[in-house]
Amino acid sequence: MKQTTISIRHNQTRMMMQDGHEQRQQSTSPRLLAFLGGAILWGMVGTVWAQDAVPEGFKVESLPPAPAADQIEAGKRVYFTKCVWCHGVDGAGDGPGADRLWPRPRNFNAGTFKIRHTASGELPLIDVDLFQTVTHGLPGSAMPSWEGILTDKQRKDVLAFVTAELVKDRSWQDSEFETLTVLELDKLAASATPPTPESIKHGSELVVEKKCIECHGLEGRGDGNAFNLKDDWGFSIQPADWHKCWNFRGSRQDPYNVKNIFRTFSTGVNGTPMPSFADSTSVADRWDLANYVNSLCERENEINIDGGKVTDEIAQELSTGKALSVDILTDKPKANFVVPSKYLEGELPTDELDERWKTVPRRWIALGGQITHKPRNFVNRIDDAWVQSAYNETHIQFLFQWDDRTKSIAEEELEWDPTEVNLEDYGVVEQPPGGTKFEDDPEHPESIAWRQNKYTVYNDGIAFEFPIKWQELPFPRKPRYLWGDEKFAMDITKWTADGNLRAFEGTGWDQDFSDRDMTDDLKLVKAEWKDGRWTVLIQRPIKRDYEADAWLEAGKYIPLVFFAWDGHNGDAGRKMAVSAFYYLVMEPPIPQEAYIYPVLMGIGLVGIEGWVLTRRRNRREGKLDT
């Protein structure tokens, strides 16, 4: 990955500094003095060089003063109340909960911070970058928003403690080796390139030219280099999925704001392979890049970008897509828990490109790791899916689409039967608690960082379930979301990436499934993984056996739950992603009379009005007797 010249110079200077500090702990020989003199000279030259080569859109600012001792002490009290559980006593990112979190909590010691307004490799702005991180959290990680929990003063106090006491390898007061070259984001935003089709199309060409697709994939779903990237701490990381802007770490609870993306292209993400493009692109190019990436974030209507080959027509469509509403409590798209199923005449669609799907609302399904029963899924990689549904006289279809960076099919024949759900004896286990024992060893075979890329690969999968006798559920009773219970069994339809589509009956979270003979009546219409996205189209009968299968009826609210498995995450059995209860509503077909009667009534009204007007005119002209 290309680094900016500022970053390279900065790293050179820091290496000199660190070497010098180590040497000072030894004897002060003439050779050492000569070395230190050289290091200082290099640092001075580097600093002057950096000031002379400020990239377009940046300016040099002064380093901040050291915080007061009483503020540091106040921040220490906040830290040891709220932050220590993840970041650890010494700020090394090794708190008691760290080994069950992915990505891991930040290790403050090295002074490497990802989301900044400063140039690549530099320290962040404490009162801007770090304050916003504490205030808004880091979406897509376990770092929450502390706004409303901590006061402004408490957030500033804790930052004083972190930056003064827990950042050990660098200092904001080290004028010899540190600089702050700050992106003038607000000034640049005032003359930003608007997201026109031309800008979006140019941005799509730049992501190819700048090789962004090598990591982020042809369609930007993070599938380009999904398993070979590590951060500066040795932990496995994955490229961002541009279609989920609400998961961007630096989205600042404003995911569709293109300024956040422009900032990332300008400054890079320290500690990761994501470089700054400040030296290799113009400001105008970076706005085009940001406009394109922003346009890919999910909109209300699905937009096919054809493997990233953005034509004028696609760019036009991307430029007018309506952003999703975001829930301020979750920082995710607002979930609509009603899944409408539209009645279609004749045969149901055979793929996702059927024009009739454009008339069917699609629903965003929020998925979370199953953590109620062991083995729990602490690191959930499938966090949402999209579903659409349509039906005809005899069958109902579900169109599922979800982003998955890899196509996972079990490499060996599974040891267990498809009906088995208790798989811990087969090695499907959850991440054990670890605390601090992996703090210096991300390659420890029991650490979650090590496991991330070394899980046994199982099958990707998707499933949904209805209570078999949902009509008999007393309001507001619902069966257990996890495969029902003894009183209310579940009608489960499950697809796995090895090509199996089967019908099961579930009677409890720890009870093996029972096969249902509906399997023979299920139809896998399509299952395709392409450019980091699964598309699966499943068809099943509407009504079959009331005693054994869910009897689906139009016009009713039918409870259903969704499940997903990521085979590369070691997901199998209860280690999976699961949704809350949603409701399927099959919209009653509109009878032909509903279309004919309004037309006939319109014709009749026009005729009556014409007759009345004619009579009035004839009367005025004396053609009618009074």
Side-chain angles (χ1 to χ4, degrees):
M1 288 291 178
K2 176 178 168 43
Q3 292 285 340
T4 66
T5 54
I6 278 188
S7 174
I8 294 171
R9 292 194 298 274
H10 180 85
N11 291 335
Q12 289 173 335
T13 306
R14 286 194 60 219
M15 291 174 64
M16 293 281 191
M17 175 189 73
Q18 291 166 354
D19 289 346
H21 287 174
E22 292 171 0
Q23 292 289 334
R24 274 193 291 271
Q25 295 172 359
Q26 303 173 10
S27 64
T28 54
S29 65
R31 185 178 178 183
L32 173 60
L33 293 174
F35 173 82
L36 292 173
I40 294 171
L41 178 62
W42 266 102
M44 294 173 63
V45 170
T47 301
V48 173
W49 188 5
Q51 290 175 340
D52 290 343
V54 175
E56 181 185 6
F58 286 77
K59 65 176 181 179
V60 176
E61 288 192 0
S62 302
L63 295 171
D70 58 343
Q71 187 180 25
I72 295 173
E73 191 60 28
K76 184 177 182 179
R77 290 193 292 273
V78 175
Y79 182 86
F80 280 95
T81 303
K82 302 294 186 184
C83 314
V84 69
W85 313 108
C86 294
H87 292 286
V89 174
D90 208 31
D94 57 353
D99 282 317
R100 283 184 168 179
L101 300 178
W102 187 79
R104 282 180 67 96
R106 176 66 52 246
N107 179 338
F108 300 129
N109 297 163
T112 302
F113 294 88
K114 295 181 178 179
I115 312 302
R116 316 162 332 280
H117 283 71
T118 54
S120 179
E122 293 189 344
L123 290 167
L125 301 175
I126 298 173
D127 57 348
V128 177
D129 299 320
L130 297 187
F131 185 76
Q132 289 185 2
T133 294
V134 176
T135 300
H136 300 297
L138 294 174
S141 77
M143 175 67 182
S145 164
W146 291 98
E147 188 174 30
I149 301 173
L150 298 176
T151 65
D152 283 6
K153 180 180 182 305
Q154 288 175 314
R155 280 175 270 156
K156 292 176 181 176
D157 289 346
V158 77
L159 289 176
F161 173 70
V162 169
T163 56
E165 299 291 334
L166 300 183
V167 174
K168 300 178 184 300
D169 298 341
R170 304 173 70 176
S171 170
W172 275 265
Q173 286 73 55
D174 186 353
S175 59
E176 186 174 357
F177 295 107
E178 300 291 352
T179 56
L180 291 180
T181 312
V182 181
L183 179 69
E184 298 181 284
L185 185 56
D186 290 336
K187 180 179 177 181
L188 295 171
S191 56
T193 305
T196 61
E198 294 75 20
S199 173
I200 289 172
K201 186 178 180 184
H202 185 224
S204 73
E205 295 163 352
L206 286 171
V207 299
V208 178
E209 178 185 327
K210 300 300 178 184
K211 303 185 186 305
C212 306
I213 59 172
E214 291 185 0
C215 289
H216 294 278
L218 293 175
E219 293 195 352
R221 300 187 192 278
D223 58 308
N225 189 5
F227 291 106
N228 297 313
L229 302 180
K230 291 185 178 181
D231 61 21
D232 281 1
W233 299 268
F235 298 118
S236 171
I237 57 174
Q238 293 185 310
D241 182 342
W242 291 342
H243 296 255
K244 299 182 182 183
C245 55
W246 50 86
N247 281 344
F248 291 173
R249 301 288 187 275
S251 61
R252 305 306 194 198
Q253 297 182 298
D254 190 10
Y256 286 93
N257 190 335
V258 72
K259 286 169 57 179
N260 296 321
I261 303 170
F262 178 86
R263 183 200 60 226
T264 298
F265 274 115
S266 299
T267 65
V269 180
N270 282 356
T272 78
M274 174 66 189
S276 162
F277 289 85
D279 284 349
S280 60
T281 59
S282 66
V283 168
D285 281 350
R286 274 178 271 151
W287 281 118
D288 290 343
L289 283 165
N291 283 332
Y292 172 62
V293 172
N294 194 42
S295 75
L296 294 184
C297 192
E298 292 287 354
R299 291 334 203 235
E300 288 193 353
N301 296 318
E302 170 73 5
I303 301 174
N304 180 7
I305 62 170
D306 192 22
K309 300 172 185 174
V310 178
T311 62
D312 292 340
E313 292 73 21
I314 292 175
Q316 177 65 36
E317 197 172 1
L318 288 171
S319 70
T320 56
K322 185 178 179 182
L324 301 175
S325 297
V326 175
D327 189 329
I328 59 173
L329 297 178
T330 64
D331 293 329
K332 304 277 189 180
K334 287 183 179 177
N336 185 332
F337 291 95
V338 175
V339 179
S341 185
K342 187 179 181 65
Y343 179 81
L344 299 178
E345 290 281 356
E347 295 296 320
L348 294 171
T350 57
D351 64 34
E352 76 282 10
L353 300 178
D354 191 305
E355 287 292 316
R356 291 176 291 175
W357 285 120
K358 293 182 177 179
T359 68
V360 181
R362 63 178 191 148
R363 289 289 184 259
W364 182 78
I365 306 299
L367 296 167
Q370 189 286 117
I371 55 172
T372 305
H373 301 287
K374 292 184 176 181
R376 292 167 287 190
N377 190 11
F378 291 107
V379 179
N380 178 40
R381 282 181 164 170
I382 307 297
D383 60 357
D384 59 33
W386 291 90
V387 63
Q388 288 176 278
S389 179
Y391 73 101
N392 61 14
E393 293 288 345
T394 58
H395 290 80
I396 186 168
Q397 271 192 1
F398 293 91
L399 169 60
F400 294 101
Q401 293 184 301
W402 72 98
D403 288 3
D404 186 338
R405 289 179 172 87
T406 56
K407 178 182 181 179
S408 308
I409 299 177
E411 297 165 341
E412 300 177 356
E413 184 177 353
L414 299 177
E415 299 178 62
W416 59 84
D417 188 88
T419 57
E420 290 186 77
V421 300
N422 300 302
L423 307 182
E424 289 178 279
D425 289 343
Y426 299 104
V428 180
V429 296
E430 66 184 42
Q431 174 66 22
T436 59
K437 65 182 181 182
F438 311 133
E439 59 182 297
D440 296 322
D441 186 9
E443 297 299 319
H444 191 291
E446 293 183 25
S447 73
I448 203 166
W450 184 89
R451 288 172 181 267
Q452 278 302 296
N453 290 346
K454 297 178 175 62
Y455 283 118
T456 300
V457 176
Y458 301 127
N459 293 310
D460 289 337
I462 195 89
F464 56 97
E465 65 175 11
F466 304 100
I468 290 179
K469 295 184 179 179
W470 56 271
Q471 299 92 334
E472 300 176 20
L473 284 168
F475 181 82
R477 170 88 155 78
K478 283 195 283 290
R480 282 295 308 278
Y481 74 97
L482 194 53
W483 305 333
D485 49 49
E486 291 183 359
K487 190 171 183 179
F488 289 101
M490 287 293 198
D491 170 327
I492 301 169
T493 302
K494 182 177 181 180
W495 167 85
T496 49
D498 57 359
N500 282 315
L501 177 62
R502 302 181 62 158
F504 300 112
E505 177 184 293
T507 55
W509 66 272
D510 59 347
Q511 302 299 307
D512 288 341
F513 294 158
S514 301
D515 276 317
R516 289 188 297 123
D517 59 7
M518 181 190 264
T519 294
D520 294 337
D521 292 334
L522 297 176
K523 181 180 180 181
L524 181 61
V525 181
K526 181 174 183 177
E528 179 185 57
W529 184 91
K530 184 180 180 183
D531 294 327
R533 167 168 272 203
W534 273 109
T535 297
V536 176
L537 191 54
I538 296 172
Q539 182 172 299
R540 57 166 284 166
I542 293 174
K543 295 178 180 176
R544 196 170 171 277
D545 181 352
Y546 182 83
E547 296 298 325
D549 311 310
W551 186 273
L552 305 181
E553 298 179 60
K556 302 293 180 63
Y557 284 76
I558 307 172
L560 81 163
V561 180
F562 302 95
F563 307 91
W565 290 262
D566 180 358
H568 263 86
N569 196 40
D571 291 1
R574 287 189 297 271
K575 188 169 182 289
M576 61 186 177
V578 60
S579 77
F581 267 103
Y582 281 68
Y583 291 91
L584 174 72
V585 177
M586 299 164 63
E587 297 175 351
I590 300 174
Q592 291 296 323
E593 293 82 356
Y595 297 104
I596 297 173
Y597 288 163
V599 175
L600 293 177
M601 290 176 65
I603 294 174
L605 287 173
V606 170
I608 292 171
E609 186 176 2
W611 177 76
V612 170
L613 292 175
T614 300
R615 281 185 61 84
R616 286 181 178 175
R617 186 186 64 217
N618 290 340
R619 185 177 291 114
R620 285 196 302 271
E621 294 174 354
K623 296 180 180 179
L624 291 177
D625 294 335
T626 58

